[in-house]
Amino acid sequence: MKTIVALVDLSDLAFKILKLAHQLAAALKAQVVILHVVPLEPVVVDMGVMAPKVMQEPEEERVQMQYEQLLEMRDSMMKFGVDAVVRQLEGADLEAVLAEIKTLHADMVMLGSNHHSAFYRLLVGSVSDDILKHAECPVLVVPADAVPQKTSTGAFINAPAGPL
C-alpha cells in the first residue's frame, strides 16, 4: 500500500480521518493525499416555495482559505514523519472525485460518515455511500460518532494516538 487518499470536508470529522490516515501511513510507509472538494455555493433566487436550486462556483477567497487549512493539515502530518500532499477540487461531482482517486492510484480511500436519517439521505444523498459503491479500491469509513472504548489491555479503540 503506497497511497492513501483521505477525503476530508474540513469538519470535526476530518480530524478523526487524518489521525487514522496518519497511523496507517506511518505503519505502512505510505503517502497520504489529503483530498478536499470545495462545494458549489447556492445562489438565492426569490421565487417562492418552488424556487429552483441554482449553484455557482465558490468564491476565490473561500477556496484559498480552505486550501490554507489543508496545507496546515499536511504540515502537521509531515512534521511527524508522514509524507503528505494536498489536492483540492472546486465544485467537483462524484464522477470527478472518483476520477481523481483513480488518477492518484489510490490503494485505499478514507472518508467520514455522518449518521443522517434515511429521509436526509433521500433528499441530499450520501457521498460516503456513493464512494463505497463506485470506488475501485478499498474504502475505510470513519464514523462521526465513534466513542473511544478501553480494551482489557488499557488501549483505546477508535482513538488512535499520535499527532494532529
Side-chain angles (χ1 to χ4, degrees):
M1 183 168 302
K2 298 292 179 198
T3 305
I4 300 168
V5 174
L7 188 57
V8 298
D9 63 359
L10 304 180
S11 69
D12 291 341
L13 187 52
F15 179 76
K16 290 180 180 184
I17 295 165
L18 292 175
K19 282 190 84 148
L20 287 170
H22 176 272
Q23 187 176 37
L24 189 57
L28 299 172
K29 306 278 189 269
Q31 179 184 58
V32 175
V33 178
I34 303 169
L35 178 60
H36 171 65
V37 176
V38 181
L40 295 174
E41 298 175 346
V43 176
V44 178
V45 180
D46 188 13
M47 296 180 69
V49 177
M50 298 303 287
K53 188 176 184 179
V54 179
M55 305 299 277
Q56 67 182 9
E57 294 295 320
E59 294 179 10
E60 186 59 36
E61 181 179 305
R62 180 174 176 220
V63 171
Q64 185 60 37
M65 181 183 72
Q66 291 185 1
Y67 189 72
E68 289 171 11
Q69 288 177 282
L70 295 170
L71 292 176
E72 289 175 12
M73 293 173 182
R74 178 206 62 192
D75 292 348
S76 178
M77 290 192 125
M78 291 178 69
K79 179 179 174 182
F80 291 96
V82 170
D83 181 21
V85 296
V86 169
R87 295 282 187 272
Q88 180 169 271
L89 305 174
E90 296 177 35
D93 59 5
L94 174 65
E95 288 76 25
V97 173
L98 290 169
E100 183 70 13
I101 290 168
K102 190 172 185 174
T103 299
L104 293 167
H105 304 288
D107 295 301
M108 175 183 282
V109 174
M110 297 179 73
L111 51 79
S113 176
N114 291 307
H115 299 288
H116 295 294
S117 69
F119 182 67
Y120 178 90
R121 286 192 307 274
L122 176 67
L123 292 176
V124 178
S126 169
V127 173
S128 299
D129 290 347
D130 291 339
I131 297 289
L132 279 169
K133 289 176 188 171
H134 302 289
E136 295 179 6
C137 63
V139 178
L140 178 79
V141 180
V142 180
D145 57 357
V147 178
Q149 299 173 9
K150 249 187 185 179
T151 65
S152 60
T153 63
F156 282 93
I157 299 173
N158 297 330
L164 298 177

